[in-house]
Amino acid sequence: MSNGVFKIPTPANEPGNTYAPGTKERETLKAELTRQSSIVIDIPVIINGENIKTETVKQVVMPHDHQHVLANYSQAGEKELRDAVEAAMAAKEAWANMAWEHRAAIFLKAADLISGPYRDVMNAATMLGQSKTAVQAEIDSAQELVDFLRFGVDYANQVYQIQPSSMKNVWNRTDYRPLDGFVLAISPFNFTAIGGNLPAAPAMMGNVVVWKPATTSILANYYFMRILEEAGLPKGVINFVPSRGSQVSEVVLTDPRMSGFHFTGSTSTFQTIWKTVGENIASYKSYPRLIGETGGKDFVFAHETAQADKVVANLVRGAFEYQGQKCSAASRAYIPASLWEEVKDGLVAETAKLKVGDVRDFRNFMGAVIDKAAFDSITSYIDYAAASEEAEIIAGGTYDDSVGYFVQPTIIVTTNPNFKTMVEEIFGPVLTIYVYENDKLEETLEAVDTASMYALTGSIFAQDRGAIVHLENRLSGAAGNFYINDKPTGAMINQQPFGGSRGSGTNDKAGSVFNMIRWTSPRVIKENFAPTAEVAYPFMDAE
């Protein structure tokens, strides 16, 4: 047995490629896009390290070219889901007892594989399967995913070093055990990195996992699963089960051995899951940990001292990068009347420059929204605004799904701070703006704070420091990630741990020590080196 106290390699945020014309990375990524576009792969269910083909087979298509099939994937049914749970539980003891440095090595190796030989594979799969541009894929499936793995190992190591104090003749120590059963991870389509982190974070802490990826991000998630296997992940530790959400709830969520649930997705889904767990609480062998990041209605608030050109640039990027399908995307903005004309002219001009189309054409700023259901939902909001007397569309407002699910970047101006598109999550390239009178600052801040059930991200723009202090304090509960003179997107691991409160989730800050510690069941051990032989206490010596 090794007796070393090992030093984890010091992590640093993964550098990003620009993919500018003439660069080597642009050339190799283009080649990988061509390769993946020319093949159709078969994606199995992976249980206990075995590739399983099922009778139900679905397709992975390009959102920007929805007749182009990228893969056929097997969908797990009730049998496969039950088998996945059993495989996880069978792997549990050996995985939990594996020396920490060996568990860590698997995820550090996976990070190096993604950073190096599989970078183009992961980015191309994310671009084609989720319609991300090259730079958005690089941020996600290369930089953030690598950061989740490297910093996750470091955070786990920090958790293990949190130890209690000891007194004379007593040694106190804490043993960080994994949870008692298995963890269910359900991941979203919009970030490959989140898809990787939701099963990986609990696994780093010694837990075993049943992982249901979103059906619209299966391609990149599948490649990540294969990378974990290449990095040495033992069979059964993470089981990859593309499946229907309703069946997962029926079979896996209600299993008495489920001890943790790691989720990113819609608020309604998380609430339904929480309700299901509550209804079954008496049957679980432990109280399941529920960790979830859900919806957002993220705001940008401009003060009268803000610089209009900075507000414009950050609104356009914050609202329309990745088609507004980031949890943190700017979807409502509050602009003072004194700045409005300048901001309006800038927004209209900059939005008109944005090109929308196939992400394989690097001239495009935006791709397609993820699928038909999203397209229909987003466009219904645009149609609602177009028909309303309380709103005016000043940019975009058009859409076409004949080839891909394309929605033009759309800006709505409303006279009602509680207008539908100011309140409800749209998850698409739609920004709604309310213009407030300069002397109505406090009333408008109240609207920012109360119009939405969410509290995920928000940003303020101001030059006056007194105004910044006031806005920061006044909106203290409105966002779990709060930005000053910056867009509300782009949180980086180890810099801005991400998560929201209120209707936006449990705010356990993915990519931080706060999240990692949730996947442990600490045991405190007290060892007495000089146990007493006395029964009576000194105070008993006299009346």
Side-chain angles (χ1 to χ4, degrees), residues 420-441:
K420 183 176 182 177
T421 61
M422 289 287 287
V423 175
E424 297 180 13
E425 184 180 40
I426 301 174
F427 222 64
V430 180
L431 170 66
T432 306
I433 296 172
Y434 174 72
V435 180
Y436 70 93
E437 296 300 323
N438 288 41
D439 61 356
K440 300 293 184 182
L441 176 66

Side-chain angles (χ1 to χ4, degrees), residues 246-397:
S246 59
Q247 198 158 50
V248 172
S249 293
E250 293 169 6
V251 176
V252 184
L253 187 66
T254 58
D255 190 291
R257 296 163 294 180
M258 192 197 77
S259 57
F261 178 63
H262 208 189
F263 176 78
T264 296
S266 75
T267 299
S268 61
T269 298
F270 194 50
Q271 290 174 344
T272 299
I273 286 165
W274 200 292
K275 179 181 179 182
T276 300
V277 171
E279 290 171 344
N280 290 275
I281 197 65
S283 67
Y284 294 109
K285 295 184 177 180
S286 62
Y287 291 100
R289 307 280 178 88
L290 305 180
I291 293 91
E293 188 254 297
T294 59
K297 191 64 184 175
D298 310 300
F299 64 85
V300 172
F301 187 92
H303 185 259
E304 63 183 1
T305 64
Q307 296 174 314
D309 59 337
K310 307 300 193 303
V311 173
V312 168
N314 284 277
L315 271 177
V316 172
R317 282 192 172 186
F320 301 135
E321 285 181 332
Y322 191 42
Q323 297 82 264
Q325 295 176 129
K326 298 181 181 182
C327 308
S328 56
S331 61
R332 55 183 172 126
Y334 302 80
I335 310 297
S338 59
L339 289 181
W340 173 235
E341 289 304 319
E342 188 177 357
V343 169
K344 177 182 178 181
D345 291 345
L347 286 174
V348 172
E350 291 298 329
T351 303
K353 298 175 185 176
L354 303 182
K355 293 183 178 181
V356 180
D358 193 319
V359 293
R360 289 170 292 185
D361 182 344
F362 283 21
R363 295 171 297 181
N364 289 321
F365 184 86
M366 290 169 50
V369 299
I370 194 65
D371 60 14
K372 177 65 172 173
F375 178 87
D376 289 344
S377 175
I378 295 163
T379 57
S380 71
Y381 282 97
I382 294 174
D383 292 345
Y384 178 88
S388 174
E389 294 182 354
E390 293 184 314
E392 176 190 4
I393 295 175
I394 63 170

